[in-house]
């Protein structure tokens, strides 16, 4: 459907990022987007309704990559979209899907959310994000969100924490050089790191370490869920707290630096 990926605790390298986005685009050509955190703990987003190939060739993107090579953000997250819900030409349906001042999500999969929330776009991804922001991650994923997904989620209360979680969809994490991390929902991107892959249901990444919670889930469960209409899966959250530390940091897009693309290229 779509593809998500991220580079954390590693030097921003334009060529590596370009190659990653081209590989990720095998999962979707309708839109390409990214999010990164600056040295002040503020997240920025940049996205367009165009393929990864056109995205990385755009002059704005080239300028952005040069800037990120200089500032070297702690984390950069990526998404390539294959439109399944909502117009492919509406920028509100491209990822990262965000709610200003609260948080954002990058999502691969198809979900059904029991309650319908007011939204800017028409995607199941935005409904999922709004459910999470309303109910908290644990309650939303256990009680309101059904289907299959792999997501990267950030809440501004804990702006330097990235939560990766999955249900019936692949999501892989691996260590790379200099203590860095790479994750992706696309195994093609992870082949070079196959000896070090972590494959769990729930992974929390912060500035200092990785906290892995949950268990591996196999193909049997996927087949069983297809036949039974996506039954609720037992919680993988354990005793994980959602309180977190208070923060005065404000989430924002990068519209003070780069504007969104409009329409399709």
């Amino acid at each position: 459907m779509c593809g998500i990926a991220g580079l954390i605790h590693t030097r921003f390298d334009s060529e590596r990022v370009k190659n990653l986005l081209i590989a990720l685009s095998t999962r979707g050509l309708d839109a390409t987007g990214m999010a990164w955190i600056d040295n002040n703990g503020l997240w920025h987003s940049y996205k367009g309704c165009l393929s990864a190939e056109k995205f990385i060739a755009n002059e704005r993107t080239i300028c952005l990559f040069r800037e990120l090579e200089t500032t070297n953000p702690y984390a950069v997250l990526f998404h390539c979209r294959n439109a399944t819900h909502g117009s492919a030409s509406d920028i509100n349906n491209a990822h990262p899907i965000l709610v200003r001042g609260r948080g954002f999500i990058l999502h691969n999969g198809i979900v059904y959310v029991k309650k319908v929330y007011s939204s800017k776009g028409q995607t199941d991804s935005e409904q999922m994000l709004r459910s999470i922001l309303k109910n908290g991650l644990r309650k939303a994923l256990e009680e309101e969100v059904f289907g299959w997904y792999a997501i990267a989620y950030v809440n501004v209360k804990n702006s330097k924490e990235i939560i990766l979680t999955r249900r019936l969809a692949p999501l892989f994490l691996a260590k790379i050089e200099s203590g860095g991390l790479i994750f992706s929902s696309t195994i093609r991107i992870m082949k070079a790191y196959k000896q070090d892959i972590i494959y769990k249901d729930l992974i929390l990444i912060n500035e200092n370490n990785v906290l892995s919670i949950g268990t591996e889930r196999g193909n049997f469960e996927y087949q069983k869920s297809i036949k039974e209409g996506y039954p609720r899966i037992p919680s993988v959250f354990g005793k994980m707290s959602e309180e977190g530390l208070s923060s005065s940091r404000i989430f924002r897009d990068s519209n003070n630096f780069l504007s969104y693309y409009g329409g399709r290229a």
Side-chain angles (χ1 to χ4, degrees), residues 50-256:
L50 68 175
S51 69
E53 183 178 7
K54 293 179 179 179
F55 182 86
I56 62 179
N58 188 280
E59 187 62 33
R60 294 175 182 174
T61 307
I62 294 170
C63 292
L64 171 60
F65 283 9
R66 288 175 185 159
E67 177 73 16
L68 294 180
E69 283 187 331
T70 301
T71 57
N72 200 34
Y74 140 69
V76 188
L77 313 181
F78 308 95
H79 189 278
C80 287
R81 181 179 185 232
N82 177 35
T84 56
H85 293 75
S87 169
S89 61
D90 186 343
I91 195 64
N92 291 309
N93 297 330
H95 294 233
I97 300 288
L98 61 95
V99 174
R100 292 173 185 267
R102 301 189 67 190
F104 71 90
I105 194 172
L106 297 97
H107 168 223
N108 168 44
I110 297 177
V111 297
Y112 164 74
V113 181
K114 288 200 299 184
K115 181 178 177 180
V116 177
Y117 293 89
S118 175
S119 62
K120 289 185 177 180
Q122 305 90 43
T123 64
D124 54 341
S125 306
E126 184 174 356
Q127 290 296 308
M128 183 182 193
L129 172 61
R130 291 184 181 276
S131 176
I132 291 170
L133 293 173
K134 173 68 174 180
N135 301 294
L137 185 71
R138 179 172 186 161
K139 182 176 180 180
L141 297 186
E142 288 183 347
E143 299 181 11
E144 277 204 356
V145 177
F146 300 90
W148 62 277
Y149 56 78
I151 65 170
Y153 166 68
V154 173
N155 187 308
V156 295
K157 290 183 179 180
N158 303 281
S159 66
K160 293 188 177 181
E161 290 185 351
I162 301 165
I163 295 175
L164 308 177
T165 188
R166 57 177 288 274
R167 177 192 287 166
L168 308 172
L171 186 58
F172 311 96
L173 176 77
K175 294 181 180 179
I176 54 179
E177 71 283 350
S178 304
L181 298 168
I182 184 171
F183 74 83
S184 181
S185 60
T186 304
I187 191 60
R188 174 181 177 182
I189 291 172
M190 307 298 292
K191 284 183 178 179
Y193 314 102
K194 61 184 179 181
Q195 301 301 322
D196 300 305
I197 286 178
I198 300 170
Y199 188 61
K200 295 288 186 179
D201 290 325
L202 180 68
I203 299 169
L204 185 148
I205 303 169
N206 60 26
E207 287 184 284
N208 303 310
N209 56 37
V210 176
L211 174 62
S212 176
I213 307 172
T215 59
E216 297 181 5
R217 299 191 182 278
N219 189 57
F220 172 77
E221 180 186 63
Y222 174 79
Q223 297 295 338
K224 184 172 182 287
S225 294
I226 291 292
K227 293 178 181 178
E228 297 182 5
Y230 300 113
R232 185 172 297 155
I233 294 175
S235 171
V236 299
F237 289 87
K239 296 181 180 180
M240 175 181 168
S241 170
E242 292 188 50
E243 295 301 322
L245 300 174
S246 62
S247 172
S248 60
R249 300 183 181 96
I250 301 174
F251 177 84
R252 60 181 179 178
D253 318 334
S254 58
N255 53 13
N256 62 321

